[in-house]
Amino acid sequence: MKNIAVNRLIALGTTLTILLCGCGGTEKPAVGSAPDRETQTAASQSAAAGENAATGETPVAGENANEDMITFTFSKSSYPSVTLPEGQTPDDNVVLDYIRDNYQVDMKLAWQAEGSEYNNKLSLNIASGNLPDIFYCNDYRTFLQLAQNGLLADLTDIYEENISDTIKGIDASYGGRNLEPVTIDGRLMAIPAGNLDGQQDVLWLRKDWLDNLGLEVPKTMEDLEKVLTAFVEEDPDGNGVDDTTGLTVDATKPVARYNHAFGLEPIFYAFGVYPNYWMEDENGEIYYGSTDERMKEVLTLLQDWYKKGLIDRQFATRIGSGETEAVFTSGQSGAYFGAVHANYTDAFTNNPDIELVAVAAPLDGSGKYNYVLPEPTSSMLCISSKCADPARAVKIIGIGNDLYRGFDEKANEIFNAAGIASSSNGRRAVFPQGSVTYDYFDIIEKLGKAVKENIETGSYTEYEGMTQYDKDQVVLATQYADGSDKTELSFKSYYYRYVGSNLLSGSEMNPHEAAYYYTTDSSASLQAELDTLEQEMYLSIIIGEKSVDYFDDFVTQWKNIGGDTLLEEVKQVLGR
């Protein structure tokens, strides 16, 4: 999204009063969403050292010892389910002590809150004029309103000089794509955590079922239909019982966006249709992908698949937590769409001999695997315009990230001795940046290549930004491949880092950029009803409750309820 687009969205004039009623929701992570790369394995706990891979240097403790002590307040998401070691709390722990003692910055937790409650509390802080010096923001409309009202520090002239080399390298990997949405009138107003590439949904199949039936991995839509038919009709598990199904689908949200496990998006994409996104056609016109007339062709196919039993016949009733996933992990289903990390250890536990394959299928008529790139950023760290020293705040954010990634050996020894690094959420609970972590746009693909090289040649080449965690993943995946470690942890690492991630370098991968990713002025009052209408349309047509022609009625309703209002606002944002 260009800066002019951001400026025009600000010009829509939403007031801060709206924040009190419009910032309560926060989107839940997609099922099977990418785990934090810094989740520590047992091996990385004990060896969590590592040089700063971006600079080749290890940060020197006490390098800021001559600076005056400064205090920064901060807010972050909380993790109430995490049990921290004795003596460690979110507002009093060895990480905050280390930052204070070595960098002369006393980080004081102003407040924290869980999930949607975080946005509610942030709204109250905004309304009362009581923002912390450094605070987490995961709602783009809120960020724009903060920028509009002069509540954020301008980082333009201080960012390059004060941010860490690690984050500079990360920003470079995005080619500026992550910085663009937080740049207003040419001024940088936040430090964004970009969304990683390589989490587009691919087709996961039971390879052991394919082998049992003598089937090749599918490429085209026709190939996929053939495979699903065989999975349903030809007893792929060989137990002599008619108890298998084809494609596992999420009933609560059959179609969504990037990184959505058990969705149907790749089927639509193969037809050149992009539901849930604001897209631009060949004539430069902006439209909502879910209202594309070509949707009817895809819906016709899906309705036919459901009638034939190629889609789980019971999927519409599986609305309880974990019920959809269980269709696959129990061994009943042989196919689902999900990101390269969306492989489930319960499948291995329940079926120890399971073999999986990830496939870029179905391809479109040109042999390409279409997908839409993620929004450039969905969360960020903001610095209040009242902060006494924004430059040092920027600096400490970069230092905190380097500490989180394990680039300071002395710090890691202290953190590990305190026992705080047992899980990613445990680390987030004590680090001041909380859930915001910064990583390279192409890190999933790069780590996949290192794993592949090691499995196939016995060694690998380190890359910029490689952490101890990455190295542990190489080891785990290799041990699963050679049979020396068949635990759930190595199972997941092997299928994520080797089987799945190595699809990402294929020439058939064909990413598309949406015209616009974010909400607009009227989204708070209109989006929920529009989304409900859309998901009900998918479900009712696929299961045959309504004919495909109902799609035309849906489009009319969508426009009348408020879709046309949102479309006009998106056009204004984009200057159309």
Side-chain angles (χ1 to χ4, degrees):
M1 178 176 57
K2 305 302 180 187
N3 293 338
I4 187 172
V6 177
N7 301 337
R8 296 193 182 195
L9 182 53
I10 291 176
L12 291 175
T14 304
T15 65
L16 285 176
T17 305
I18 298 296
L19 287 170
L20 293 174
C21 59
C23 295
T26 182
E27 187 171 326
K28 294 180 180 179
V31 176
S33 59
D36 176 15
R37 270 196 346 115
E38 305 308 321
T39 302
Q40 300 290 305
T41 64
S44 64
Q45 298 305 309
S46 59
E51 290 187 338
N52 185 327
T55 64
E57 299 176 358
T58 302
V60 179
E63 62 183 18
N64 289 39
N66 294 325
E67 292 194 59
D68 293 335
M69 181 71 70
I70 191 170
T71 297
F72 290 135
T73 57
F74 68 97
S75 65
K76 66 176 185 177
S77 291
S78 63
Y79 294 88
S81 62
V82 171
T83 301
L84 292 172
E86 184 177 356
Q88 307 298 316
T89 66
D91 59 352
D92 185 8
N93 57 69
V94 293
V95 175
L96 301 183
D97 290 346
Y98 190 86
I99 291 173
R100 183 191 63 240
D101 296 342
N102 291 277
Y103 298 100
Q104 311 307 303
V105 176
D106 192 9
M107 298 294 291
K108 295 292 187 183
L109 180 61
W111 57 269
Q112 60 178 342
E114 182 183 14
S116 63
E117 285 305 308
Y118 180 90
N119 287 336
N120 290 335
K121 192 156 187 176
L122 179 59
S123 296
L124 294 173
N125 271 241
I126 294 168
S128 65
N130 191 32
L131 285 168
D133 294 309
I134 301 170
F135 60 95
Y136 166 65
C137 180
N138 70 343
D139 182 274
Y140 191 66
R141 287 180 67 249
T142 301
F143 159 74
L144 290 175
Q145 292 158 349
L146 288 163
Q148 175 191 14
N149 287 273
L151 299 178
L152 301 180
D154 184 341
L155 309 181
T156 312
D157 299 329
I158 60 176
Y159 185 75
E160 185 68 19
E161 182 177 348
N162 291 280
I163 199 64
S164 68
D165 287 341
T166 305
I167 294 183
K168 286 180 186 177
I170 288 168
D171 289 341
S173 75
Y174 286 82
R177 187 174 182 268
N178 64 324
L179 295 172
E180 198 171 76
V182 297
T183 302
I184 312 299
D185 285 332
R187 312 302 293 177
L188 183 67
M189 304 305 294
I191 304 176
N195 284 322
L196 305 184
D197 192 19
Q199 298 181 75
Q200 64 268 29
D201 295 330
V202 296
L203 176 64
W204 284 95
L205 295 169
R206 287 284 300 263
K207 183 180 182 300
D208 48 328
W209 286 15
L210 291 173
D211 292 345
N212 289 346
L213 300 176
L215 296 170
E216 298 293 328
V217 296
K219 294 182 179 180
T220 66
M221 195 72 70
E222 293 75 17
D223 293 342
L224 177 55
E225 181 168 345
K226 177 182 177 182
V227 165
L228 294 177
T229 300
F231 280 1
V232 172
E233 298 178 354
E234 299 182 21
D235 191 24
D237 57 3
N239 66 356
V241 180
D242 183 12
D243 60 354
T244 56
T245 189
L247 191 63
T248 305
V249 178
D250 177 7
T252 59
K253 192 171 284 190
V255 181
R257 286 190 173 192
Y258 187 80
N259 185 12
H260 173 226
F262 305 110
L264 292 164
E265 299 82 16
I267 304 292
F268 289 86
Y269 298 165
F271 285 82
V273 178
Y274 302 96
N276 272 262
Y277 288 102
W278 297 104
M279 303 299 293
E280 181 177 355
D281 68 17
E282 61 274 10
N283 298 316
E285 293 294 321
I286 303 301
Y287 68 98
Y288 184 53
S290 302
T291 64
D292 189 330
E293 177 68 19
R294 295 174 297 174
M295 288 273 294
K296 294 171 74 172
E297 185 178 1
V298 190
L299 292 167
T300 299
L301 173 72
L302 293 172
Q303 189 181 80
D304 180 59
W305 280 11
Y306 180 80
K307 289 178 181 177
K308 293 176 178 176
L310 308 190
I311 293 174
D312 171 25
R313 283 263 177 80
Q314 303 301 317
F315 91 93
T317 67
R318 304 187 198 278
I319 58 176
S321 177
E323 288 185 20
T324 298
E325 178 183 323
V327 177
F328 183 81
T329 60
S330 67
Q332 181 181 352
S333 164
Y336 67 95
F337 290 106
V340 294
H341 58 259
N343 35 76
Y344 302 94
T345 55
D346 283 351
F348 173 75
T349 303
N350 297 330
N351 312 276
D353 296 326
I354 192 172
E355 291 185 63
L356 303 176
V357 63
V359 188
L363 304 177
D364 68 8
S366 301
K368 295 295 184 181
Y369 189 74
N370 299 320
Y371 69 97
V372 183
L373 288 167
E375 65 262 35
T377 184
S378 58
S379 64
M380 62 205 74
L381 289 177
C382 298
I383 299 173
S384 168
S385 58
K386 295 181 180 180
C387 177
D389 193 341
R392 281 186 74 179
V394 169
K395 189 170 186 177
I396 207 63
I397 288 171
I399 289 169
N401 181 66
D402 280 353
L403 292 173
Y404 187 95
R405 295 171 69 86
F407 293 152
D408 183 329
E409 293 186 22
K410 179 181 176 181
N412 269 298
E413 290 175 3
I414 294 171
F415 301 162
N416 292 335
I420 65 167
S422 60
S423 71
S424 62
N425 285 348
R427 292 172 71 79
R428 288 169 171 171
V430 295
F431 273 80
Q433 67 264 40
S435 61
V436 179
T437 54
Y438 298 90
D439 220 330
Y440 297 83
F441 183 62
D442 58 349
I443 191 64
I444 296 176
E445 181 178 351
K446 288 201 295 188
L447 179 50
K449 287 180 178 179
V451 169
K452 178 180 174 66
E453 184 180 7
N454 198 62
I455 287 176
E456 297 181 359
T457 70
S459 64
Y460 65 93
T461 304
E462 291 192 23
Y463 49 77
E464 181 182 47
M466 193 172 205
T467 65
Q468 184 62 43
Y469 168 80
D470 297 353
K471 296 173 184 178
D472 291 341
Q473 289 291 295
V474 172
V475 172
L476 280 169
T478 303
Q479 289 175 337
Y480 188 90
D482 66 21
S484 61
D485 182 349
K486 289 291 186 177
T487 61
E488 294 178 8
L489 194 62
S490 63
F491 162 85
K492 190 166 184 67
S493 181
Y494 173 80
Y495 280 106
Y496 177 3
R497 304 300 183 182
Y498 181 64
V499 176
S501 294
N502 280 287
L503 276 183
L504 305 176
S505 303
S507 60
E508 68 275 9
M509 287 294 171
N510 190 32
H512 295 261
E513 188 83 69
Y516 184 71
Y517 288 96
Y518 300 106
T519 54
T520 67
D521 198 44
S522 299
S523 297
S525 59
L526 298 174
Q527 198 68 60
E529 185 176 2
L530 290 170
D531 288 347
T532 298
L533 176 69
E534 183 173 341
Q535 294 303 325
E536 288 177 348
M537 177 271 293
Y538 294 127
L539 194 61
S540 62
I541 291 178
I542 291 171
I543 67 175
E545 184 178 281
K546 294 181 179 178
S547 72
V548 175
D549 288 337
Y550 169 69
F551 174 79
D552 297 325
D553 294 334
F554 154 74
V555 173
T556 300
Q557 292 181 62
W558 183 89
K559 290 174 177 287
N560 293 337
I561 288 173
D564 276 347
T565 299
L566 296 187
L567 176 59
E568 288 307 310
E569 290 181 355
V570 170
K571 288 181 178 180
Q572 288 179 49
V573 169
L574 298 174
R576 305 297 174 87

